[in-house]
Amino acid sequence: MNITITPKAEKFMRRIVRFGGGPADSGFRLTVTAGGCSGLASEFSAEAAPKDGDATLDWNGLKVFLSAESRLLLDGVTIDFVDTTLESGLSFINPNAASCGCSSAESAKPAQTTVSIADIKRT
């Protein structure tokens, strides 16, 4: 899998797992689907184990559970964490994706999706 997780995103993921209430060996489940302005929509949660068909990415000891569709959509993507006055959450930066046509000012930036902390679903 050709996925990069920045240190800020890794720290955020570890916090979600640590405070998720599961066993010590829980992981971070990330589900990405096609949709949204930049072409990606996503949700995440702390999970005790991967689901059938998931692959487990070991990132410095952090288990990240990814479905087959998520693995395809995240190929070549950098997962970052942003925390500004306007947004807070995971950001997916895909240098190969077309930029959003919503604003000409944004056209020079790589396509990016941010998931708000408020979107976390507790399972």
Side-chain angles (χ1 to χ4, degrees):
M1 287 181 270
N2 183 21
I3 299 169
T4 301
I5 300 174
T6 67
K8 289 190 292 184
E10 179 182 353
K11 182 178 178 181
F12 173 76
M13 292 174 172
R14 287 184 187 281
R15 285 184 175 181
I16 295 298
V17 172
R18 185 173 56 233
F19 297 115
D25 63 345
S26 293
F28 185 87
R29 179 163 175 74
L30 176 61
T31 304
V32 179
T33 56
C37 185
S38 68
L40 297 176
S42 61
E43 62 182 52
F44 52 88
S45 61
E47 300 285 337
K51 295 183 180 181
D52 287 341
D54 282 355
T56 301
L57 170 65
D58 183 319
W59 191 268
N60 300 323
L62 170 69
K63 291 188 248 179
V64 181
F65 306 137
L66 300 166
S67 67
E69 180 181 13
S70 296
R71 291 190 306 271
L72 288 172
L73 292 170
L74 289 173
D75 187 39
V77 169
T78 296
I79 302 172
D80 196 9
F81 180 78
V82 294
D83 189 17
T84 67
T85 55
L86 299 177
E87 61 184 344
S88 182
L90 290 176
S91 177
F92 303 92
I93 304 163
N94 184 352
N96 300 317
S99 296
C100 175
C102 298
S103 169
S104 59
E106 294 291 318
S107 62
K109 292 183 178 180
Q112 179 172 319
T113 301
T114 302
V115 179
S116 171
I117 292 174
D119 293 337
I120 297 172
K121 294 183 180 181
R122 187 161 179 107
T123 55

